[in-house]
Amino acid sequence: MTERINALLSEVESLAAADEKELEALRIKYLGKKGLLNDLMADFRNVPAEQKRETGQKINALKTALQDKLNALRQSLATKEDSHDDLDLTRTPYPVQLGTRHPLSIVKNEIIDIFSRLGFSMADGPEVEDDWHVFSSMNFAEDHPARDMQDTFFVEQHPDIVLRTHTSSVQSRVMEHTQPPIRVICPGRVYRNEAISARAHCFFHQVEGLYIDEDVSFTDLKQVLLTFAREMFGPDTKIRLRPSYFPFTEPSAEMDISCNICGGTGCAFCKQTGWVEILGCGMVDPNVLEANGIDSKKYKGYAFGMGVERITNLKYQVKDLRLFSENDVRFLDEFVSAN
Ligand code: PHE
């Protein structure tokens, strides 16, 4: 009996298991119901009384040694599984797929960049606005068609709350709490109740600008816009201003640039005219200054507003406005931005 125990004890040290299956086989062989340890226990009955104590202790020691060994083997298998023996820290990392900036953001940032070089700072405001900041303070008559249901999204049950139709509302907010000189641009999303098609969407993006000081003339406006057009579309770009109407500016104009797709010779994009319209502008109507707490006898100003989608179309010739909001990665991947 003692010899069998000693033989088993000396085996314990050399036990090894390559995987869970082998380990389980060892457990069954030694500690299982019909295992070697239980065999010993069964024979223990026949051990002479005077040896029982010593043999019992030996069997217990064997059992503990077996359990310890199997536990140790189990532990080493577990650590082996998540050990990173194959981790090579010098290997080149997987190519990380970087996203790209949205084309509208690229162009918006470029517009902001140009105007900030001209001394304009940025202003921001809410997209859900009250009628006052969007329309009334901007000199819209009570019955102006822009207030009509067809153009404006109203917040249900709150006829006074609308989704802003232009970022002029931000200019109103700036004038409200700032005295001139004021030189701001207001980039942001605007909403109009239009059927969605390749050429129209129910939301788009604008950058509007406002300049108010004591001695401001239409010439200043024209020069700033010419500089902007040339920075944006290249030094050979020409501009022309056509008389127009906006409630908040007097006089008002729309600005065309020489078509940067055909260079002004005429193409489908500019409908063979050589010119494309890019923005609205004018001298701030004195009524607007007064409504927003600025002395119209002392101060004058100019304002302008453009659609970011339109500028982006001109730069990148995107044929369908809907592409801008579908977030199709194949489309977005075409724009690699440096900023
Ligand atoms: N707010 C006008 C629009 O949304 C744009 C504009 C701004 C025109 C400032 C003139 C002056 O269409």
Side-chain angles (χ1 to χ4, degrees), residues 166 168 192 206 208 246 248-249 280-281 303-305:
H166 55 181
S168 301
R192 290 186 194 176
Q206 281 192 328
E208 294 211 355
F246 298 104
F248 31 86
T249 45
C281 60
F304 54 87

Side-chain angles (χ1 to χ4, degrees), residues 58-103:
K58 281 207 156 214
I59 293 180
N60 274 341
L62 174 63
K63 187 178 175 188
T64 316
L66 276 167
Q67 279 170 342
D68 288 349
K69 181 65 188 180
L70 293 186
N71 281 342
L73 288 176
R74 183 167 299 118
Q75 278 246 313
S76 81
L77 275 183
T79 42
K80 198 167 153 199
E81 253 159 40
D82 55 28
S83 82
H84 295 292
D85 287 350
D86 56 346
L87 183 68
D88 177 3
L89 291 174
T90 61
R91 194 178 61 74
T92 320
Y94 292 112
V96 178
Q97 248 231 311
L98 280 182
T100 54
R101 228 176 260 281
H102 193 282

